[in-house]
Amino acid sequence: MRKLALATCFLLLFASGRVHAQTAPALTVIRAGVLIDGASDAPRKNQLIFVRGDRIEKIADGSAQVPPDTKVIDLSASTVLPGLIDSHTHIFLFGEDPAKGGYDANILNAGISLRAARATSACRRALEQGFTTLRDVETEGAGYGDVEIKQAIAEGTIPGPRLFCATRAISTTGGYNLEGYAPELDMPKGAQIIDGPVQARRAAREQLDHGADWIKVYMTHRSWIDKQGNLVSQPTLTVEELRAIVDEAHGWQRKVACHAYNGIGLQRALDGGCDSIEHGLEITDAQIAQMARQGTWYCPTLAVYYTDWGREDTAAGKRDRARAAVHEISFKKALAARLKIVFGTDIGGIPWTEPIAQEFSKMVGFGMSPMAAIQAATSRASEMLDMKGEIGVLAPGAYADVIAVSGDPLKDIGVLEHVRFVMHDGAVFKNEPTK
Ligand SMILES: [Zn+2]
């Protein structure tokens, strides 16, 4: 029976006489005025990107032959780059307005459908701005919603970037919101709470089992200014607890991202073998050296610490200013030490209505070259995500994630806030005319 069915199948295919036209995806050629490929240090002028299906087939000089009847997208007046990668996002946050109840209201008042609708909108916003890949570092009480949003994108139900999901994140008792409620109340938490290495490993297993691509761990929580005027942050997990998580995640060939501001918590994150430090506001010289030795990634998320400060005469206002002051120094040290830096924003912590690419201006403002900043959001991030050569680069074999801007981002990095063309997985999502 099976043999017969197979034979019929072949007969039908060949009888149509159009086997090739039906099986090989159509070719699209993008004509790029200037091409920044995400990996090379110099841009190239007048290039052709051959796209077949969801991948780049080849890149050729502008004079190369284009087969007749090929769809050509003319971006000869634009700078063309790989789709951008934001390595620190929260699609399940909405820049919660404190006046409307802030973070707590998101968990206490918003049901899962409302939150999913907002996350759907966040994904569309990211794609519109040319971010074709996100490492989304925890759902803030929305469980495994990120894995399901990723599924909805993959099946074509909603538009959105390629997602790397961290699911619920892990912290300890006293180490995450919601807090400040009557102790009699059993309040929900924005992260999965563990105490002890056994619970830590179990939480990692649960999250990996439910589809986590990364594990996110909060290694510091509250922060304040001490009597000497120093920034202090409260440590959460012990080295033993973190080691259990890292050991488990690495066994699954997954990585661990550690939120860590400074001090004891940041040191434990490094001693526990984390793969990426998130924020890293204040990093000592010894810690910079340890990161270089261990190959730890640094995702600084600068911009979010330079806006929305509390009033100068308040405790929160003083803390906000102290955080920003040390952050700039740490970033410059990391640059000088040639640490592996990736672009990350914490968007969601800031409203999705704001430009994601604002982080570029902060990185360049603190001394990173525009090309290095672009690579932090393309090829460098793809390395961290174990996707080298597949995303974050315009090269044969890579996914066809292609964006374009008017103007030269190497002269004015701000033009990346105005992405006019977006192709994701070979499909054009946005193509605005040049003004
Ligand atoms: Zn974050």
Side-chain angles (χ1 to χ4, degrees):
M1 250 339 256
R2 251 176 83 197
K3 256 186 189 162
L4 190 68
L6 215 72
T8 319
C9 211
F10 273 116
L11 269 175
L12 280 174
L13 268 172
F14 286 107
S16 77
R18 297 179 57 218
V19 179
H20 244 71
Q22 284 175 350
T23 48
L27 177 71
T28 300
V29 171
I30 298 171
R31 187 173 287 280
V34 177
L35 185 137
I36 292 174
D37 72 9
S40 320
D41 282 332
R44 282 173 282 161
K45 281 190 178 155
N46 194 21
Q47 299 285 302
L48 298 176
I49 306 166
F50 289 66
V51 175
R52 202 182 286 278
D54 59 359
R55 301 266 183 172
I56 295 173
E57 194 173 77
K58 65 171 177 176
I59 300 201
D61 197 68
S63 57
Q65 276 283 316
V66 176
D69 300 328
T70 302
K71 185 184 170 198
V72 176
I73 299 170
D74 183 16
L75 300 173
S76 56
S78 302
T79 304
V80 175
L81 306 98
L84 301 170
I85 302 169
D86 187 338
S87 291
H88 191 122
T89 67
H90 298 281
I91 58 170
F92 278 94
L93 288 180
F94 217 56
E96 281 68 23
D97 183 355
K100 292 180 184 164
Y103 182 89
D104 293 21
N106 194 28
I107 290 186
L108 295 174
N109 304 128
I112 196 68
S113 296
L114 178 57
R115 297 197 65 188
R118 289 170 171 173
T120 302
S121 156
C123 285
R124 171 181 281 275
R125 285 287 300 148
L127 201 53
E128 279 170 358
Q129 295 175 69
F131 285 82
T132 51
T133 300
L134 307 180
R135 183 182 60 157
D136 198 70
V137 281
E138 92 128 316
T139 59
E140 310 285 356
Y144 296 93
D146 51 353
V147 176
E148 294 181 351
I149 292 283
K150 175 180 167 176
Q151 205 177 324
I153 293 168
E155 70 190 18
T157 304
I158 59 169
R162 193 182 313 284
L163 291 184
F164 289 82
C165 303
T167 74
R168 300 177 61 191
I170 297 170
S171 192
T172 55
T173 295
Y176 214 71
N177 310 19
L178 306 177
E179 54 199 15
Y181 292 87
E184 297 78 19
L185 296 175
D186 190 13
M187 299 305 288
K189 298 290 179 184
Q192 189 167 2
I193 300 300
I194 61 93
D195 292 293
V198 173
Q199 285 185 9
R201 187 179 289 275
R202 187 195 164 101
R205 283 177 180 161
E206 275 175 20
Q207 295 183 7
L208 291 160
D209 185 31
H210 291 306
D213 302 305
W214 275 71
I215 299 292
K216 164 82 176 288
V217 182
Y218 285 90
M219 293 302 292
T220 62
H221 181 46
R222 297 168 176 87
S223 66
W224 62 90
I225 303 299
D226 72 5
K227 285 176 183 161
Q228 287 75 42
N230 302 312
L231 178 70
V232 181
S233 55
Q234 163 217 345
T236 53
L237 284 79
T238 62
V239 174
E240 290 67 32
E241 286 166 335
L242 178 59
R243 276 202 186 127
I245 292 166
V246 170
D247 181 59
E248 190 65 31
H250 285 180
W252 291 57
Q253 295 199 310
R254 298 283 194 267
K255 289 179 179 169
V256 178
C258 282
H259 166 115
Y261 275 4
N262 70 344
I264 300 166
L266 176 57
Q267 189 56 49
R268 288 181 187 169
L270 294 176
D271 293 343
C274 81
D275 297 290
S276 74
I277 292 286
E278 307 301 306
H279 318 304
L281 301 188
E282 188 175 31
I283 314 180
T284 65
D285 292 341
Q287 288 167 338
I288 292 270
Q290 188 174 357
M291 287 174 76
R293 222 168 37 241
Q294 295 180 188
T296 315
W297 292 91
Y298 180 35
C299 184
T301 67
L302 297 166
V304 72
Y305 293 96
Y306 290 81
T307 49
D308 233 2
W309 289 344
R311 281 211 342 257
E312 200 172 352
D313 56 349
T314 62
K318 287 192 178 96
R319 179 205 60 194
D320 293 345
R321 281 161 183 78
R323 292 205 294 214
V326 292
H327 205 175
E328 178 177 348
I329 296 167
S330 299
F331 182 75
K332 287 176 172 170
K333 276 192 208 170
L335 265 185
R338 298 175 163 273
L339 289 194
K340 301 191 290 185
I341 298 173
V342 289
F343 175 105
T345 59
D346 222 350
I347 187 108
I350 37 180
W352 281 95
T353 45
E354 287 193 23
I356 302 173
Q358 62 180 301
E359 179 74 9
F360 283 117
S361 303
K362 268 276 164 292
M363 294 170 108
V364 171
F366 289 163
M368 197 173 209
S369 76
M371 191 59 105
I374 289 169
Q375 289 170 354
T378 53
S379 59
R380 294 253 82 185
S382 77
E383 256 178 77
M384 183 181 78
L385 296 170
D386 293 326
M387 290 288 282
K388 188 177 176 184
E390 297 210 84
I391 57 171
V393 67
L394 296 178
Y399 283 103
D401 289 353
V402 185
I403 65 162
V405 292
S406 300
D408 180 0
L410 301 179
K411 287 206 181 91
D412 174 12
I413 197 76
V415 301
L416 289 171
E417 291 181 23
H418 308 283
V419 169
R420 51 163 294 248
F421 173 87
V422 180
M423 174 184 272
H424 180 41
D425 281 345
V428 175
F429 177 69
K430 172 181 180 177
N431 191 3
E432 284 175 355
T434 34
K435 279 167 211 134

